[in-house]
Every structure is written in C-alpha cells, then in structure tokens.
C-alpha cells in the first residue's frame, strides 16, 4: 500500500558512501522538494563511492558533490535526529545505531535490506552490476512506499 510522503526522511548506512547517498539522491529526483531528505553513516571514514556515482548517473541522479557524514557529525552541525519523520536504515549496523539514538524520541525507524555491493565482483562490469542491483532495490522500496516518481 502506497503511503503519504513524509515531510522528512533520513537514510543511513555504514559509511554514508554507497547505499544511503544513492537513496537520498534517488528520492530527491523521484519526489522533488516535497520531502526534506538527508543521509548519514554510522562512520564517516570513506568518500562517496565512484561506482555509486556511476550507476546513479545512468538515471541522471548526481552524487559527485555528496560529502559523507556520520550521525555524530550530523548532531554537531545542528541537525536534530528528532526533526525527521522517518529514519530508513539500509544496513544492520545503521539500524542498530538509529534505534539506539531514537529510543528517547517517538520516531519511526524502518530497515530496508539493501545488499552491500562493495565486495561483489572482480571486474568493472561485475562491480557495476552489483551496484545497479543495490540501486534497483532502493528504487523498488521507494516505489513500494511512496508510489511512482512524480517527475
């Protein structure tokens, strides 16, 4: 069943370098400015992944300017977790961190099981195929939750 778009969504994964930036960028493209969308990681020790940039560029989603940040940095910059309507965790570690941080708020945390493509494939084409699979899983979840893109 398609739900109403939330006013704000925070996507999270392990490093804010692969899955959560893809989800943030694709959601912004699909649903425009109707929803405030951000992404974070449990850690901020990696830059945006080049394969993520490539597979999103295939659908005109620009990620090359994305700067990875962690939950801790988000709070340091003044983004309050409680200001989000929904937190979508794309990895088990980020789900655990989100639940830990939101236990004092009445905040919905969902877990979408999105495959981590970073260790899959030996060749460039095999790696791209793995990243496309993760991207397409994100797209399927977005559409299942909030319907077809509005653009």
């Amino acid at each position: 069943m398609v739900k109403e778009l939330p006013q704000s969504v925070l996507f999270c994964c392990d490093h804010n370098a692969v899955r959560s930036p893809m989800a943030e960028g694709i959601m912004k493209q699909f649903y425009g400015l109707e929803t405030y969308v951000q992404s974070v990681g449990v850690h901020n020790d990696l830059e945006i992944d080049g394969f993520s940039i490539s597979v999103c560029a295939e659908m005109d989603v620009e990620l090359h300017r994305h700067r990875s940040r962690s939950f801790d940095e988000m709070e340091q910059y003044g983004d309050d977790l409680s200001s989000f309507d929904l937190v979508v965790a794309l990895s088990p570690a980020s789900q655990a961190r989100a639940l830990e941080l939101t236990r004092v708020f009445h905040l919905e945390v969902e877990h979408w099981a999105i495959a981590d493509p970073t260790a899959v494939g030996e060749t460039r084409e095999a790696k791209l195929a793995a990243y496309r699979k993760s991207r397409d899983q994100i797209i399927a979840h977005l559409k299942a939750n909030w319907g077809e893109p509005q653009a």
Side-chain angles (χ1 to χ4, degrees):
M1 182 174 118
V2 175
K3 300 181 269 190
E4 186 177 325
L5 275 171
Q7 288 190 339
S8 56
V9 176
L10 179 67
F11 290 102
C12 55
C13 65
D14 294 349
H15 302 278
N16 194 221
V18 178
R19 292 169 283 183
S20 58
M22 286 199 294
E24 176 186 352
I26 295 167
M27 183 160 186
K28 285 177 178 175
Q29 184 194 54
F30 278 13
Y31 307 111
L33 301 174
E34 288 188 49
T35 300
Y36 177 71
V37 184
Q38 290 292 307
S39 64
V40 297
V42 175
H43 309 284
N44 173 23
D45 53 355
L46 301 173
E47 290 301 316
I48 183 74
D49 186 286
F51 289 108
S52 291
I53 294 171
S54 294
V55 300
C56 284
E58 293 172 353
M59 53 183 293
D60 296 324
V61 172
E62 182 275 310
L63 294 184
H64 75 273
R65 289 187 300 226
H66 177 81
R67 295 295 166 252
S68 298
R69 66 184 186 153
S70 66
F71 280 106
D72 294 338
E73 287 172 312
M74 183 183 87
E75 291 181 63
Q76 289 169 6
Y77 296 140
D79 277 337
D80 188 354
L81 201 58
S82 66
S83 66
F84 289 93
D85 296 322
L86 174 64
V87 176
V88 178
L90 305 174
S91 70
S94 65
Q95 179 187 24
R97 181 77 168 129
L99 289 171
E100 173 190 323
L101 291 171
T102 60
R103 69 181 179 274
V104 296
F105 307 123
H106 293 291
L107 183 62
E108 186 178 354
V109 177
E110 289 184 10
H111 178 246
W112 296 357
I114 305 298
D116 180 358
T118 58
V120 178
E122 296 295 319
T123 66
R124 177 172 172 73
E125 274 312 309
K127 287 188 175 297
L128 284 170
Y131 279 75
R132 287 182 188 115
K133 180 180 177 185
S134 296
R135 177 199 64 197
D136 294 346
Q137 288 176 328
I138 291 167
I139 290 169
H141 277 282
L142 290 169
K143 289 179 177 180
N145 278 277
W146 301 298
E148 289 298 315
Q150 297 171 358

